Amino acid sequence: MRTRPLKVALLGCGVVGSEVARIMTTHADDLAARIGAPVELAGVAVRRPSKVREGIDPALITTDATALVQRGDIDVVVEVIGGIEPARTLITTAFENGASVVSANKALLAEDGAALHAAAEQYGRDLYYEAAVAGAIPLVRPLRESLAGDKVNRVLGIVNGTTNFILDKMDTSGAGYSEALDEATALGYAEADPTADVEGFDAAAKAAILAGIAFHTRVKIGDVHREGITEVTAADIASARRMGCTVKLLAICERAADGASVTARVHPAMIPLSHPLASVREAYNAVFVEAEAAGQLMFYGPGAGGSPTASAVLGDLVAVCRNKLGEATGPGESAYTRLPVSPMGEVVTRYHISLDVADKPGVLAQVATVFAEQGVSIDTVRQQGKDGEASLVVVTHRAPDAALSGTVEALRKLDTVRGVASIMRVEGE
């Protein structure tokens, strides 16, 4: 074993960063044995140096992250500060000064991953980011390495623990969205500002990363169709239950049947209770990967939190350190297919549409005519009503999303339709 330690700089010492530092200290001997050399925490960049950080030598604390990554003796930079800047500049500066990088920054990777990979390749460094997607669940490396010889056609999963907790509580307890969000906040699953989670931005960033790796093409967060869960109601949950379904926020990345394009989307969807994703409870994540040779693979586990995310960071740290010792680098970006990302309107989906309609003869015929004119086939219809008012629930067969959206707009123009109570896609069948 080499006795000279590999030096690690830590950017950020919040929930994840502090746990990374703790594990590096408490598991130092095991990490050294697995790597083939000791690892040494050489500096920790923070914004608030006065805060007490148990187990971390105060002499390592600095507010000058730029000077830390420019030192020249740093072997690996661990970036867990998040956001676009200054993280992007710090990572590229680290590459320029001889360090490889381990990052948990999904937003930056989804926005500017191609440039970061290009910088890593230019300077001969590693860029690893297992922790950017689904916490402790090994997902990036299996896609990037274990399935490198296979053809992945679809990635489908729950990649945000906060929204899964909220939807699970709405389903199991009958709570409304606001009540479930309050509980998620009280338990620490939701941030004080939950927008990134509940509006689907977090899941969309992860979907962009997964689609890029799975399909060997460049997918940015702006390419991902995104819908959050703020409009999901208790009535939607009840409708799903009547259909033998539950509601989940899904990230879905697919290769087109002809192989000429890909799609990436995040939105709430009804899935059958028989589907394995339906049983994913609380704040857990689960992802299905469908490949030609391997078939269906499912990855399941805690998708967030200090310890699970730190576990993924440390796994990458070990791999990058081993590469350093062997004077090698791991896999970089693979974007050789250059497949275009199709817009959501071209995606073939199913809809569950709940309408408030007048309770009188001929309404169903009018509604059916609209579907026929838009080229959308109806699977099932359920109608209930009294005292001049009624509800009509229509589940469609699969059709281009643009046709389904056009159908909804045409339905809104009918005099007999009082309003569209809810619209939700149906997946997993």
Side-chain angles (χ1 to χ4, degrees), residues 272-338:
L273 293 176
S274 58
H275 195 285
L277 289 178
S279 62
V280 178
R281 305 288 304 279
E282 300 282 335
Y284 278 76
N285 286 188
V287 178
F288 263 89
V289 176
E290 298 176 8
E292 282 195 356
Q296 285 192 336
L297 307 172
M298 183 173 175
F299 301 83
Y300 170 84
S307 293
T309 306
S311 171
V313 169
L314 267 295
D316 278 351
L317 179 63
V318 169
V320 170
C321 287
R322 286 171 174 169
N323 291 343
K324 276 278 183 180
L325 291 179
E327 298 182 349
T329 55
E333 182 189 36
S334 174
Y336 71 93
T337 63
R338 296 182 176 86

Side-chain angles (χ1 to χ4, degrees), residues 356-358 360 363 366 410-419:
D356 294 326
V357 299
K360 61 181 184 181
V363 173
Q366 286 185 322
L411 289 170
R412 295 183 195 274
K413 297 176 182 178
L414 291 179
D415 292 338
T416 51
V417 174
R418 307 288 193 239

Side-chain angles (χ1 to χ4, degrees), residues 63 101 114 128 144 223 241 245 260 269 277 311 340 369 384:
T63 58
V101 173
Y128 276 51
R144 195 158 72 160
D223 298 320
R241 194 178 299 115
C245 294
L277 289 178
S311 171
T369 297
Q384 293 178 322

Side-chain angles (χ1 to χ4, degrees), residues 70-154:
Q70 286 179 333
R71 276 177 38 172
D73 65 336
I74 299 297
D75 294 290
V76 184
V77 169
V78 174
E79 183 271 309
V80 288
I81 56 177
I84 305 301
E85 288 291 357
R88 174 167 47 199
T89 299
L90 291 169
I91 289 173
T92 55
T93 301
F95 292 147
E96 293 168 5
N97 286 271
S100 290
V101 173
V102 173
S103 176
N105 196 333
K106 52 188 168 287
L108 177 57
L109 289 158
E111 178 62 34
D112 212 17
L116 294 179
H117 277 292
E121 183 177 4
Q122 177 184 352
Y123 292 102
R125 317 298 178 210
D126 272 326
L127 174 62
Y128 276 51
Y129 44 90
E130 184 67 66
V133 182
I137 305 172
L139 189 56
V140 170
R141 196 169 300 158
L143 282 173
R144 195 158 72 160
E145 300 179 33
S146 303
L147 294 173
D150 207 338
K151 181 180 180 182
V152 176
N153 290 318
R154 193 169 193 240

